[in-house]
Amino acid sequence: MRENGLRSAGRGARAARGTDPGEDPGRDGGHRNEVLLVGRITAEPVFREMANGNRLASWRMCMARPPREGVSGRRSDAVYCVGFDPGLHPELGEWRLGDVVRVTGALRRRFWHGRAEERSTCEVEARTVALVRRSRPADGDLPAAAFPRATGEGAGR
């Protein structure tokens, strides 16, 4: 378990700095595909069963860009995410619109055949997920204090 409460199957902090003694820099040239997102849920996770029987979760999050001088208006980035790991699904199933979440993973490009051409999209394949802050409760919902993960207790997977 790392200090931020997230669990991961990675090789730890030394691997992230590129100093892991088991790493072979000649084999992959030190390449990295690591993504960290912290943002607001703008499309709640949807679960579907794939042809091979595995379940896939997909959702969208939005991250505000820092303001830039000379650029007017609110700017943000929307990112689509997927989660194949069934260990992530219970946490994802509790998320709702407006929640602020943290996702680590890798950028993937997915291809499929459209009507007349091949199409593609980029999405983040989640490795770890955590609720950072609950959105305001809707009428009839329990207050955020009723959710232990909203206060940081047991927030990681």
Side-chain angles (χ1 to χ4, degrees):
M1 176 104 43
R2 290 193 244 162
E3 66 186 45
N4 60 9
L6 297 176
R7 280 186 245 151
S8 174
R11 291 184 290 179
R14 291 192 327 184
R17 291 193 310 264
T19 59
D20 184 6
E23 182 178 325
D24 179 3
R27 189 180 84 218
D28 65 5
H31 296 188
R32 295 281 183 267
N33 184 351
E34 299 171 345
V35 175
L36 166 64
L37 301 171
V38 178
R40 188 172 45 85
I41 295 294
T42 55
E44 290 180 354
V46 174
F47 299 87
R48 58 189 165 155
E49 193 158 326
M50 299 183 305
N52 64 5
N54 292 337
R55 281 185 44 170
L56 163 72
S58 59
W59 66 96
R60 185 181 64 231
M61 17 186 333
C62 184
M63 286 68 55
R65 291 183 185 176
R68 286 190 354 205
E69 193 173 317
V71 177
S72 63
R74 186 172 180 100
R75 304 206 42 166
S76 61
D77 293 297
V79 176
Y80 289 89
C81 300
V82 295
F84 294 97
D85 181 353
L88 302 177
H89 293 176
E91 177 95 7
L92 294 169
E94 295 179 11
W95 290 357
R96 63 179 185 231
L97 290 177
D99 287 349
V100 175
V101 300
R102 177 184 172 119
V103 174
T104 66
L107 187 63
R108 303 284 187 233
R109 188 167 179 198
R110 181 171 51 90
F111 295 88
W112 72 95
H113 291 283
R115 289 192 175 121
E117 62 190 13
E118 186 173 67
R119 305 189 72 182
S120 71
T121 189
C122 288
E123 56 197 12
V124 172
E125 183 179 328
R127 184 179 330 121
T128 65
V129 301
L131 178 67
V132 173
R133 184 177 64 246
R134 276 274 178 224
S135 64
R136 291 186 345 198
D139 291 339
D141 282 352
L142 294 172
F147 299 93
R149 288 188 175 102
T151 61
E153 298 170 20
R157 276 231 178 284

